[in-house]
């Protein structure tokens, strides 16, 4: 590890030196007149710096991954090889500094390679996550019947070999909490976006929009504490208990309402940007034909902005499905099927966390079930994305 750190520092320093020296050499080759160069001195310097740094850094990354997979160590000899690659790249690129050298094209090739590498990393990360869940899910279903998992209405992992690991109560809790959150957040967020974009003046808008967006920056643990100490007891004392629907501060309604508050800026901010992007000519045309402002908003602006609004709602739904802390503190951890919104329930994400914590054997079904839960949630979210993409394309073709 020390040799790897030392190699990285030497390569980084050599790249900086290469940038400075290459710029000076390009000016020297041009006899001080940059008009004689095909490429600017800064482009020659960038090419030298990248030629010095990128090949050895790529070699370090590959070798580190190989050492991690084989439980090997990075030796001093490997560090010497990395530095030698940097020195070679430095020397060859310095020799290539000439008046006719198209250093801009060479530097852009390095940049293109970095962009392709970054895109590949993003794609391979997604593929790796999916395959890791697939492999562990396969191990789970080799020990537990898939029909019991998908169709059982009982969730009681007791770690004695006769556990009931049915996903239906968890899915119901996830969808129930998310539905209440969206019912609360979407109308408020959308109406706020319409008011800010179509009615509010510049001064009010400059204050109201940042104030709404502050809600997105509040940590979810703060929302959870707000649900636990304020919203939950209030709903219990003023609604659930008087109506005979329950006597617990932990409930689906508590988590749903607090989560809805958290989702308001996701809907309002994105919808506001989308509504503002609708061409003003469409509004002027509608008003010129005799429509009122409200009719213009309802029949022209909202339909034209509908694809973006659906995207905002989808983002809010994905955020709601993946939330954990608010559910733990607001809705509890009871896995049950019930229509009563004032009863405690739980979600898939909460159980994923609970099943992966503790001293349970990793190879046991009670632990591996977390991967099956995660894969199921991934498939559901993917289906929502595909459906939303279809709807967005349909309406985009209609209003473009």
């Amino acid at each position: 590890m020390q040799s790897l750190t030392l190699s990285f520092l030497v390569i980084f320093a050599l790249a900086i030196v290469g940038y400075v020296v290459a710029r000076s050499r390009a000016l020297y080759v041009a006899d001080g007149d940059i008009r004689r160069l095909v490429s600017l001195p800064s482009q020659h310097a960038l090419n030298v710096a990248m030629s010095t740094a990128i090949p050895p850094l790529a070699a370090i990354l590959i070798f580190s991954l190989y050492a991690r997979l084989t439980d090997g160590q990075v030796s001093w000899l490997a560090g010497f090889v990395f530095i030698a690659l940097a020195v070679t790249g430095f020397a060859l690129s310095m020799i290539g500094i000439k008046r006719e050298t198209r250093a801009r094209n060479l530097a852009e090739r390095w940049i293109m390679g970095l962009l392709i590498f970054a895109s590949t990393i993003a794609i391979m990360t997604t593929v790796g996550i999916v395959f890791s869940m697939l492999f562990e899910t396969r191990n789970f279903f080799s020990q537990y019947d898939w029909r019991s998992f998908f169709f059982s209405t009982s969730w009681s992992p007791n770690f004695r070999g006769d556990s009931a690991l049915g996903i239906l109560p968890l899915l119901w809790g996830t969808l129930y909490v998310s539905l209440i959150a969206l019912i609360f957040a979407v109308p408020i967020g959308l109406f706020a976006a319409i008011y800010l974009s179509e009615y509010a003046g510049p001064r009010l808008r400059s204050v109201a929009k940042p104030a709404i967006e502050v809600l997105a920056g509040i940590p979810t643990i703060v929302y959870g504490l707000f649900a636990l100490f304020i919203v939950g007891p209030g709903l219990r004392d003023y609604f659930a208990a008087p109506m005979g629907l329950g006597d617990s501060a932990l409930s689906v309604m508590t988590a749903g309402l607090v989560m809805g508050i958290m989702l308001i800026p996701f809907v309002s901010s994105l919808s506001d940007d989308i509504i503002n992007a609708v061409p003003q000519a469409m509004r002027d045309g509608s008003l010129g034909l005799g429509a009122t402002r409200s009719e213009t908003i309802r029949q022209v602006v909202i339909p034209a902005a509908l694809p973006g609004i659906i995207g905002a709602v989808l983002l809010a739904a994905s955020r709601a499905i993946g939330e954990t802390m608010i559910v733990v503190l607001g809705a509890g951890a009871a896995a049950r099927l019930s229509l009563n919104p004032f009863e405690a329930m739980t979600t898939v994400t909460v159980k994923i966390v609970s099943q992966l914590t503790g001293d349970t054997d990793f190879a046991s079904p009670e632990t591996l079930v977390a991967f099956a839960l995660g894969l199921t949630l991934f498939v559901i979210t993917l289906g929502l994305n595909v459906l939303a993409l279809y709807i967005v394309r349909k309406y985009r073709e209609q209003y473009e």
Side-chain angles (χ1 to χ4, degrees):
M1 183 60 68
Q2 293 180 352
S3 61
L4 191 62
T5 303
L6 179 61
S7 301
F8 179 80
L9 294 177
V10 172
I11 293 168
F12 184 73
L14 191 60
I16 295 177
V17 172
Y19 185 91
V20 177
V21 174
R23 187 181 179 88
S24 300
R25 177 171 173 76
L27 291 173
Y28 173 79
V29 169
D31 296 329
D33 187 2
I34 62 174
R35 292 176 298 178
R36 298 180 179 181
L37 295 173
V38 175
S39 300
L40 295 174
S42 60
Q43 295 167 348
H44 285 280
L46 182 61
N47 177 54
V48 171
M50 290 188 168
S51 300
T52 302
I54 292 179
L57 290 179
I60 289 175
L61 178 62
I62 295 173
F63 191 85
S64 299
L65 291 176
Y66 174 77
R68 178 63 61 88
L69 293 175
T70 59
D71 295 330
Q73 296 182 353
V74 181
S75 63
W76 288 102
L77 179 60
F80 176 78
V81 172
F82 300 147
I83 297 175
L85 281 175
V87 173
T88 303
F90 174 86
L92 292 177
S93 57
M94 288 293 293
I95 294 173
I97 298 178
K98 300 177 182 179
R99 294 185 179 183
E100 66 275 10
T101 301
R102 297 185 179 274
R104 176 181 177 180
N105 295 342
L106 298 176
E108 288 182 349
R109 289 178 184 175
W110 285 117
I111 294 174
M112 181 64 70
L114 289 176
L115 295 176
I116 294 174
F117 174 75
S119 302
T120 304
I121 288 295
I123 295 173
M124 295 306 297
T125 300
T126 304
V127 172
I129 292 173
V130 173
F131 272 95
S132 65
M133 290 191 297
L134 281 174
F135 291 145
E136 299 300 339
T137 301
R138 183 190 62 180
N139 295 334
F140 169 72
F141 285 128
S142 66
Q143 305 178 45
Y144 192 83
D145 185 18
W146 65 271
R147 289 167 294 188
S148 299
F149 175 75
F150 286 109
F151 300 109
S152 175
T153 59
S154 176
W155 176 270
S156 56
N158 53 25
F159 308 101
R160 292 197 302 269
D162 56 347
S163 298
L165 301 173
I167 195 176
L168 288 181
L170 308 184
L171 281 180
W172 173 247
T174 301
L175 297 178
Y176 205 175
V177 173
S178 301
L179 179 62
I180 293 176
L182 292 176
I183 290 175
F184 181 80
V186 171
I188 296 178
L190 183 57
F191 292 159
I194 293 173
Y195 175 76
L196 290 175
S197 61
E198 300 296 325
Y199 293 100
R203 180 177 298 180
L204 177 59
R205 176 182 170 83
S206 64
V207 175
K209 187 173 182 179
I212 295 175
E213 291 177 348
V214 166
L215 294 174
I218 298 176
T220 56
I221 183 63
V222 176
Y223 281 112
L225 294 175
F226 177 64
L228 180 63
F229 294 110
I230 305 297
V231 179
L235 290 176
R236 178 195 59 196
D237 297 337
Y238 295 103
F239 293 95
M243 293 187 295
L245 296 176
D247 55 358
S248 174
L250 302 178
S251 66
V252 174
M253 185 64 71
T254 300
L257 290 179
V258 176
M259 193 182 298
I261 296 173
M262 181 192 68
L263 296 179
I264 288 176
F266 289 90
V267 179
S268 64
S269 182
L270 293 176
S271 298
D272 176 56
D273 294 336
I274 294 299
I275 293 173
N276 282 323
V278 175
Q280 183 63 33
M282 298 180 66
R283 297 179 177 86
D284 295 339
S286 175
L287 295 173
L289 292 174
T292 64
R293 176 177 289 188
S294 62
E295 291 173 340
T296 299
I297 295 172
R298 186 174 64 254
Q299 299 178 8
V300 176
V301 176
I302 297 301
L306 190 58
I309 293 174
I310 293 176
V313 174
L314 174 65
L315 176 62
S318 300
R319 185 70 178 83
I321 291 175
E323 177 55 39
T324 302
M325 189 56 64
I326 294 177
V327 178
V328 171
L329 297 179
R336 59 164 58 97
L337 290 169
S338 175
L339 291 175
N340 185 359
F342 295 100
E343 286 188 358
M345 295 186 194
T346 191
T347 62
V348 173
T349 54
V350 173
K351 288 305 177 184
I352 290 175
V353 175
S354 63
Q355 296 305 121
L356 289 177
T357 55
D359 299 329
T360 311
D361 183 14
F362 184 81
S364 65
E366 291 82 6
T367 301
L368 293 176
V369 69
F371 295 94
L373 294 173
L375 185 61
T376 304
L377 201 61
F378 172 79
V379 172
I380 293 174
T381 306
L382 180 62
L384 290 175
N385 286 330
V386 172
L387 177 61
L389 182 61
Y390 169 77
I391 296 175
V392 167
R393 288 182 175 178
K394 178 181 178 180
Y395 283 97
R396 180 175 296 167
E397 293 173 357
Q398 182 176 351
Y399 291 104
E400 280 185 348

PDB file of all heavy atoms in Angstrom, residues 200-217:
ATOM      1  N   ALA A 200     -47.109  34.147  -9.031  1.00  0.00           N
ATOM      2  CA  ALA A 200     -46.257  34.864  -8.076  1.00  0.00           C
ATOM      3  C   ALA A 200     -45.371  35.883  -8.789  1.00  0.00           C
ATOM      4  O   ALA A 200     -44.890  35.652  -9.903  1.00  0.00           O
ATOM      5  CB  ALA A 200     -45.394  33.875  -7.294  1.00  0.00           C
ATOM      6  N   GLY A 201     -45.132  36.996  -8.114  1.00  0.00           N
ATOM      7  CA  GLY A 201     -44.228  37.995  -8.639  1.00  0.00           C
ATOM      8  C   GLY A 201     -42.778  37.611  -8.412  1.00  0.00           C
ATOM      9  O   GLY A 201     -42.476  36.681  -7.655  1.00  0.00           O
ATOM     10  N   PRO A 202     -41.854  38.310  -9.058  1.00  0.00           N
ATOM     11  CA  PRO A 202     -40.427  37.963  -8.930  1.00  0.00           C
ATOM     12  C   PRO A 202     -39.926  38.008  -7.494  1.00  0.00           C
ATOM     13  O   PRO A 202     -39.129  37.169  -7.078  1.00  0.00           O
ATOM     14  CB  PRO A 202     -39.734  39.009  -9.807  1.00  0.00           C
ATOM     15  CG  PRO A 202     -40.781  39.466 -10.772  1.00  0.00           C
ATOM     16  CD  PRO A 202     -42.080  39.395 -10.023  1.00  0.00           C
ATOM     17  N   ARG A 203     -40.389  39.004  -6.709  1.00  0.00           N
ATOM     18  CA  ARG A 203     -39.901  39.115  -5.335  1.00  0.00           C
ATOM     19  C   ARG A 203     -40.379  37.944  -4.475  1.00  0.00           C
ATOM     20  O   ARG A 203     -39.589  37.343  -3.730  1.00  0.00           O
ATOM     21  CB  ARG A 203     -40.374  40.444  -4.731  1.00  0.00           C
ATOM     22  CG  ARG A 203     -39.911  40.660  -3.301  1.00  0.00           C
ATOM     23  CD  ARG A 203     -40.336  42.019  -2.793  1.00  0.00           C
ATOM     24  NE  ARG A 203     -39.723  43.085  -3.592  1.00  0.00           N
ATOM     25  CZ  ARG A 203     -39.927  44.383  -3.367  1.00  0.00           C
ATOM     26  NH1 ARG A 203     -40.725  44.761  -2.365  1.00  0.00           N
ATOM     27  NH2 ARG A 203     -39.344  45.283  -4.124  1.00  0.00           N
ATOM     28  N   LEU A 204     -41.658  37.603  -4.579  1.00  0.00           N
ATOM     29  CA  LEU A 204     -42.185  36.482  -3.808  1.00  0.00           C
ATOM     30  C   LEU A 204     -41.567  35.171  -4.268  1.00  0.00           C
ATOM     31  O   LEU A 204     -41.225  34.311  -3.448  1.00  0.00           O
ATOM     32  CB  LEU A 204     -43.710  36.417  -3.947  1.00  0.00           C
ATOM     33  CG  LEU A 204     -44.407  35.243  -3.246  1.00  0.00           C
ATOM     34  CD1 LEU A 204     -44.133  35.262  -1.747  1.00  0.00           C
ATOM     35  CD2 LEU A 204     -45.902  35.274  -3.521  1.00  0.00           C
ATOM     36  N   ARG A 205     -41.392  35.019  -5.555  1.00  0.00           N
ATOM     37  CA  ARG A 205     -40.806  33.784  -6.094  1.00  0.00           C
ATOM     38  C   ARG A 205     -39.371  33.600  -5.615  1.00  0.00           C
ATOM     39  O   ARG A 205     -38.951  32.484  -5.289  1.00  0.00           O
ATOM     40  CB  ARG A 205     -40.847  33.832  -7.616  1.00  0.00           C
ATOM     41  CG  ARG A 205     -40.178  32.655  -8.298  1.00  0.00           C
ATOM     42  CD  ARG A 205     -40.218  32.810  -9.814  1.00  0.00           C
ATOM     43  NE  ARG A 205     -39.382  31.815 -10.450  1.00  0.00           N
ATOM     44  CZ  ARG A 205     -39.765  30.575 -10.710  1.00  0.00           C
ATOM     45  NH1 ARG A 205     -40.990  30.195 -10.391  1.00  0.00           N
ATOM     46  NH2 ARG A 205     -38.951  29.715 -11.287  1.00  0.00           N
ATOM     47  N   SER A 206     -38.611  34.685  -5.544  1.00  0.00           N
ATOM     48  CA  SER A 206     -37.213  34.595  -5.112  1.00  0.00           C
ATOM     49  C   SER A 206     -37.090  34.165  -3.658  1.00  0.00           C
ATOM     50  O   SER A 206     -36.034  33.680  -3.246  1.00  0.00           O
ATOM     51  CB  SER A 206     -36.522  35.947  -5.316  1.00  0.00           C
ATOM     52  OG  SER A 206     -37.116  36.943  -4.493  1.00  0.00           O
ATOM     53  N   VAL A 207     -38.156  34.349  -2.882  1.00  0.00           N
ATOM     54  CA  VAL A 207     -38.133  33.941  -1.475  1.00  0.00           C
ATOM     55  C   VAL A 207     -38.807  32.588  -1.275  1.00  0.00           C
ATOM     56  O   VAL A 207     -38.300  31.714  -0.551  1.00  0.00           O
ATOM     57  CB  VAL A 207     -38.826  35.007  -0.600  1.00  0.00           C
ATOM     58  CG1 VAL A 207     -38.915  34.542   0.850  1.00  0.00           C
ATOM     59  CG2 VAL A 207     -38.086  36.324  -0.690  1.00  0.00           C
ATOM     60  N   ALA A 208     -39.950  32.364  -1.945  1.00  0.00           N
ATOM     61  CA  ALA A 208     -40.746  31.160  -1.695  1.00  0.00           C
ATOM     62  C   ALA A 208     -40.069  29.904  -2.235  1.00  0.00           C
ATOM     63  O   ALA A 208     -40.058  28.870  -1.556  1.00  0.00           O
ATOM     64  CB  ALA A 208     -42.129  31.326  -2.324  1.00  0.00           C
ATOM     65  N   LYS A 209     -39.505  29.977  -3.444  1.00  0.00           N
ATOM     66  CA  LYS A 209     -38.926  28.760  -4.017  1.00  0.00           C
ATOM     67  C   LYS A 209     -37.737  28.236  -3.212  1.00  0.00           C
ATOM     68  O   LYS A 209     -37.672  27.040  -2.896  1.00  0.00           O
ATOM     69  CB  LYS A 209     -38.525  28.998  -5.468  1.00  0.00           C
ATOM     70  CG  LYS A 209     -38.065  27.721  -6.165  1.00  0.00           C
ATOM     71  CD  LYS A 209     -37.831  27.916  -7.644  1.00  0.00           C
ATOM     72  CE  LYS A 209     -37.415  26.595  -8.276  1.00  0.00           C
ATOM     73  NZ  LYS A 209     -37.188  26.727  -9.733  1.00  0.00           N
ATOM     74  N   PRO A 210     -36.765  29.082  -2.828  1.00  0.00           N
ATOM     75  CA  PRO A 210     -35.691  28.558  -1.959  1.00  0.00           C
ATOM     76  C   PRO A 210     -36.206  28.037  -0.622  1.00  0.00           C
ATOM     77  O   PRO A 210     -35.663  27.062  -0.084  1.00  0.00           O
ATOM     78  CB  PRO A 210     -34.778  29.774  -1.770  1.00  0.00           C
ATOM     79  CG  PRO A 210     -35.047  30.647  -2.934  1.00  0.00           C
ATOM     80  CD  PRO A 210     -36.503  30.467  -3.237  1.00  0.00           C
ATOM     81  N   ALA A 211     -37.254  28.677  -0.086  1.00  0.00           N
ATOM     82  CA  ALA A 211     -37.799  28.210   1.193  1.00  0.00           C
ATOM     83  C   ALA A 211     -38.386  26.813   1.063  1.00  0.00           C
ATOM     84  O   ALA A 211     -38.247  25.982   1.972  1.00  0.00           O
ATOM     85  CB  ALA A 211     -38.859  29.194   1.685  1.00  0.00           C
ATOM     86  N   ILE A 212     -39.045  26.537  -0.056  1.00  0.00           N
ATOM     87  CA  ILE A 212     -39.592  25.192  -0.281  1.00  0.00           C
ATOM     88  C   ILE A 212     -38.474  24.185  -0.485  1.00  0.00           C
ATOM     89  O   ILE A 212     -38.518  23.057   0.025  1.00  0.00           O
ATOM     90  CB  ILE A 212     -40.553  25.201  -1.476  1.00  0.00           C
ATOM     91  CG1 ILE A 212     -41.783  26.059  -1.169  1.00  0.00           C
ATOM     92  CG2 ILE A 212     -40.991  23.782  -1.842  1.00  0.00           C
ATOM     93  CD1 ILE A 212     -42.731  26.216  -2.338  1.00  0.00           C
ATOM     94  N   GLU A 213     -37.443  24.587  -1.218  1.00  0.00           N
ATOM     95  CA  GLU A 213     -36.352  23.658  -1.525  1.00  0.00           C
ATOM     96  C   GLU A 213     -35.521  23.316  -0.300  1.00  0.00           C
ATOM     97  O   GLU A 213     -34.780  22.335  -0.316  1.00  0.00           O
ATOM     98  CB  GLU A 213     -35.472  24.250  -2.619  1.00  0.00           C
ATOM     99  CG  GLU A 213     -36.174  24.312  -3.978  1.00  0.00           C
ATOM    100  CD  GLU A 213     -35.323  24.968  -5.036  1.00  0.00           C
ATOM    101  OE1 GLU A 213     -34.296  25.582  -4.662  1.00  0.00           O
ATOM    102  OE2 GLU A 213     -35.673  24.875  -6.232  1.00  0.00           O
ATOM    103  N   VAL A 214     -35.624  24.128   0.746  1.00  0.00           N
ATOM    104  CA  VAL A 214     -34.912  23.801   1.989  1.00  0.00           C
ATOM    105  C   VAL A 214     -35.383  22.457   2.541  1.00  0.00           C
ATOM    106  O   VAL A 214     -34.617  21.718   3.172  1.00  0.00           O
ATOM    107  CB  VAL A 214     -35.112  24.933   3.022  1.00  0.00           C
ATOM    108  CG1 VAL A 214     -34.685  24.494   4.412  1.00  0.00           C
ATOM    109  CG2 VAL A 214     -34.325  26.161   2.604  1.00  0.00           C
ATOM    110  N   LEU A 215     -36.645  22.108   2.305  1.00  0.00           N
ATOM    111  CA  LEU A 215     -37.179  20.839   2.810  1.00  0.00           C
ATOM    112  C   LEU A 215     -36.409  19.650   2.269  1.00  0.00           C
ATOM    113  O   LEU A 215     -36.303  18.614   2.930  1.00  0.00           O
ATOM    114  CB  LEU A 215     -38.663  20.708   2.422  1.00  0.00           C
ATOM    115  CG  LEU A 215     -39.634  21.701   3.067  1.00  0.00           C
ATOM    116  CD1 LEU A 215     -41.027  21.529   2.477  1.00  0.00           C
ATOM    117  CD2 LEU A 215     -39.666  21.512   4.570  1.00  0.00           C
ATOM    118  N   ALA A 216     -35.867  19.779   1.043  1.00  0.00           N
ATOM    119  CA  ALA A 216     -35.126  18.660   0.451  1.00  0.00           C
ATOM    120  C   ALA A 216     -33.778  18.456   1.117  1.00  0.00           C
ATOM    121  O   ALA A 216     -33.196  17.369   1.011  1.00  0.00           O
ATOM    122  CB  ALA A 216     -34.939  18.898  -1.044  1.00  0.00           C
ATOM    123  N   GLY A 217     -33.264  19.488   1.792  1.00  0.00           N
ATOM    124  CA  GLY A 217     -31.956  19.366   2.425  1.00  0.00           C
ATOM    125  C   GLY A 217     -31.996  18.917   3.865  1.00  0.00           C
ATOM    126  O   GLY A 217     -30.935  18.718   4.471  1.00  0.00           O
TER     127      GLY A 217
END
